[in-house]
């Protein structure tokens, strides 16, 4: 009786599903049957193609967990994470690892802007560099700006205008 009710519920719910979802469910179930048929052991033997199929299904199909029976859904998520790490490891090995270096001309320009405009902070210098067509991150400008030794004027920036006039740093 329980099997009949389950089958009836599955049939009624399939009426409201789209054709693509039904085909994905059919593909998932047929794949699992194929894996179980080719595995002679108690535990199914999954190849990397099988893992990639389930990773792809998990990205395309929202309800993929309901059709998965041979492994836990957490296992598929772990496969996806491992593949993601492998991809980025490969990508870094093929290209330049890390962030691109800031040229010495740009560093010198930032140093010069800091010296000549002591009241400017990293956001203002970053905006000025963008106006000049130099594409650099604000955090990079901030790191270069912080590495500079502080000048006497920037050390006294917290002093009010009256006190400055008294000290002659007008």
């Amino acid at each position: 009786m329980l099997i009949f009710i389950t089958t009836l519920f599955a049939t009624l719910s399939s009426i409201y599903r789209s054709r693509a979802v039904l085909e994905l469910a059919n593909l998932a179930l047929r794949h699992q049957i194929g894996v179980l048929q080719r595995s002679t052991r108690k535990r199914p033997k999954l190849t990397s193609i099988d893992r990639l199929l389930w990773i792809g299904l998990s990205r395309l199909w929202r309800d993929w967990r309901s059709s998965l029976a041979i492994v836990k859904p957490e296992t598929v998520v772990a496969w996806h994470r491992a593949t993601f790490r492998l991809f980025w490891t490969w990508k870094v090995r093929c290209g330049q690892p890390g962030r691109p270096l800031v040229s010495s001309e740009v560093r010198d320009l930032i140093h010069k802007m800091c010296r000549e405009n002591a009241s400017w902070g990293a956001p203002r210098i970053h905006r000025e560099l963008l106006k000049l067509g130099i594409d650099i991150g604000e955090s990079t400008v901030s790191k270069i700006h912080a590495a500079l030794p502080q000048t006497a004027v920037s050390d006294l920036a917290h002093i009010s205008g009256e006190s400055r006039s008294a000290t002659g740093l007008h």
Side-chain angles (χ1 to χ4, degrees):
M1 184 68 172
L2 182 63
I3 294 174
F4 176 73
I5 293 172
T6 307
T7 306
L8 180 66
F9 178 71
T11 305
L12 290 175
S13 67
S14 69
I15 292 172
Y16 297 106
R17 289 185 187 171
S18 70
R19 183 171 173 85
V21 170
L22 288 174
E23 288 178 2
L24 286 173
N26 193 8
L27 172 73
L29 294 173
R30 285 179 183 267
H31 175 260
Q32 291 179 82
I33 290 171
V35 168
L36 291 173
Q37 285 177 345
R38 77 169 181 244
S39 298
T40 56
R41 300 180 195 163
K42 195 176 196 182
R43 190 171 172 186
K45 176 102 171 109
L46 293 166
T47 64
S48 58
I49 301 294
D50 298 328
R51 292 182 177 111
L52 287 175
L53 174 80
W54 277 103
I55 290 169
L57 283 176
S58 71
R59 300 295 293 161
L60 292 174
W61 181 27
R62 186 183 314 173
D63 198 27
W64 62 275
R65 288 184 166 110
S66 65
S67 293
L68 187 60
I70 57 175
V71 294
K72 293 179 182 177
E74 295 83 23
T75 305
V76 175
V77 173
W79 291 340
H80 188 247
R81 287 181 181 149
T83 306
F84 188 77
R85 277 192 304 272
L86 184 67
F87 169 76
W88 282 106
T89 302
W90 166 80
K91 190 163 177 82
V92 167
R93 284 185 187 154
C94 291
Q96 285 286 356
R99 292 185 180 199
L101 295 175
V102 179
S103 67
S104 61
E105 294 87 16
V106 174
R107 283 184 183 274
D108 293 339
L109 181 60
I110 293 171
H111 291 302
K112 184 178 178 182
M113 291 173 88
C114 290
R115 278 192 313 270
E116 293 178 1
N117 306 297
S119 63
W120 288 6
R124 172 73 186 265
I125 294 172
H126 176 249
R127 287 192 303 269
E128 295 297 326
L129 290 172
L130 289 178
K131 288 179 189 175
L132 294 173
I134 299 172
D135 189 24
I136 189 170
E138 186 178 331
S139 61
T140 305
V141 173
S142 178
K143 287 176 188 173
I144 294 170
H145 180 67
L148 288 175
Q150 296 294 318
T151 61
V153 175
S154 62
D155 286 341
L156 298 174
H158 65 279
I159 299 175
S160 66
E162 297 171 2
S163 302
R164 270 197 205 165
S165 62
T167 58
L169 293 172
H170 215 296

